[in-house]
Amino acid sequence: MASKILQKVNVVRVNGGCTPASENIVKETALTIIVDGRQYATAMIMATMEKEYVLGHLYAQGIIRRADDIESITVKKNVAVVKLMRWARKPVFTSVRSRLVVDKDDVFTCVKAILKSEIFTETEAVHSAGLFFKGKETISIAEDLGRHNALDKVIGAGLMQYIDFRRTLAASTGRIPTEMIFKCIQAKIPIIATKGVPTTLAIELAEKSGITIAGLVRGKTMTVYTHPERIE
């Protein structure tokens, strides 16, 4: 696995003097997605959980409605070939309705869980995302060069497990722009928590669509920007 995602490169470390050294760097992989014989997209990802990424990405983009809409996914030589059971775009959702309420301590625990990345410790080059059932049970934790890709991966993992997303909390290590909120809307994830912060447009979209954003989740403090009634 390490050969797929890490590559050792020669560097010069400067600290008073100059010292030749080597270190592992994360590989950026171009994954081409072919859907029913047509090139759909090429994404720059870290080459782990490729099938989950493709499934989550197609779901968030409205190409599929459920995991069963896909007959097969094969990944070989950085090409993902997807064969659909049917081409039926799912409706574009504009709001999330959920009765999920989580304990604040569970929010801290979920964000803390995605910060234990060995790859980040070694390279400081990846984002992590996690999906947690009722804010307690880990469904999936994923890493990628981009926070959007990491979220797609855990959404894909949730689809594979037939999870009811309305009863989940998503966690991220990065800031929360509108695209992250849009993915949560399409997946119907009611809560997203991050050690970072949201943008103003993300706050506006989350407020209108019914999504709770908890940001600056660090230690035992956080800032809840929208729909605080879901955190007690």
Side-chain angles (χ1 to χ4, degrees):
M1 179 60 69
S3 63
K4 289 182 62 178
I5 62 176
L6 297 176
Q7 179 176 329
K8 193 172 289 293
V9 301
N10 295 324
V11 300
V12 174
R13 293 199 175 99
V14 179
N15 184 10
C18 298
T19 305
S22 63
E23 63 181 49
N24 283 324
I25 301 295
V26 174
K27 290 183 179 180
E28 189 173 14
T29 299
L31 179 68
T32 298
I33 304 172
I34 308 293
V35 179
D36 282 349
R38 295 178 292 179
Q39 182 170 338
Y40 173 74
T42 297
M44 305 306 297
I45 70 167
M46 187 175 75
T48 60
M49 297 177 65
E50 294 100 320
K51 289 185 179 180
E52 288 87 346
Y53 168 76
V54 172
L55 188 61
H57 181 75
L58 293 179
Y59 182 78
Q61 295 300 312
I63 302 302
I64 60 173
R65 295 175 294 181
R66 58 184 67 87
D68 292 342
D69 285 344
I70 292 181
E71 181 176 323
S72 64
I73 301 177
T74 58
V75 180
K76 186 177 181 180
K77 295 182 178 180
N78 301 332
V79 177
V81 178
V82 181
K83 185 176 181 181
L84 298 179
M85 295 291 291
R86 61 188 71 83
W87 186 279
R89 295 184 68 93
K90 71 183 182 72
V92 176
F93 299 120
T94 58
S95 63
V96 176
R97 296 182 179 180
S98 170
R99 296 181 178 179
L100 179 65
V101 176
V102 300
D103 188 276
K104 63 181 183 299
D105 288 336
D106 290 332
V107 177
F108 294 126
T109 298
C110 290
V111 172
K112 187 176 181 180
I114 67 171
L115 299 179
K116 299 176 181 179
S117 168
E118 294 180 4
I119 298 174
F120 180 83
T121 300
E122 183 172 0
T123 68
E124 298 188 14
V126 296
H127 281 287
S128 297
L131 191 66
F132 302 88
F133 188 68
K134 295 183 178 180
K136 293 182 180 293
E137 301 175 27
T138 301
I139 298 167
S140 179
I141 294 176
E143 300 160 318
D144 203 278
L145 296 167
R147 55 191 175 276
H148 309 84
N149 295 345
L151 183 58
D152 280 338
K153 287 178 178 180
V154 297
I155 290 173
L159 285 169
M160 288 181 172
Q161 300 175 49
Y162 299 95
I163 294 297
D164 181 356
F165 288 105
R166 293 170 297 181
R167 304 174 74 186
T168 65
L169 176 153
S172 174
T173 55
R175 64 183 175 83
I176 305 295
T178 52
E179 185 177 350
M180 296 284 279
I181 298 301
F182 180 76
K183 289 179 184 293
C184 289
I185 295 172
Q186 298 312 304
K188 291 191 173 295
I189 297 171
I191 304 172
I192 185 166
T194 176
K195 71 171 187 177
V197 295
T199 65
T200 56
L201 287 179
I203 292 173
E204 291 177 17
L205 181 59
E207 186 64 46
K208 291 177 182 178
S209 60
I211 290 176
T212 299
I213 301 177
L216 295 172
V217 182
R218 303 171 183 178
K220 288 296 182 181
T221 64
M222 73 175 85
T223 300
V224 183
Y225 295 89
T226 57
H227 296 280
E229 66 275 8
R230 288 206 183 96
I231 299 176
E232 60 183 14

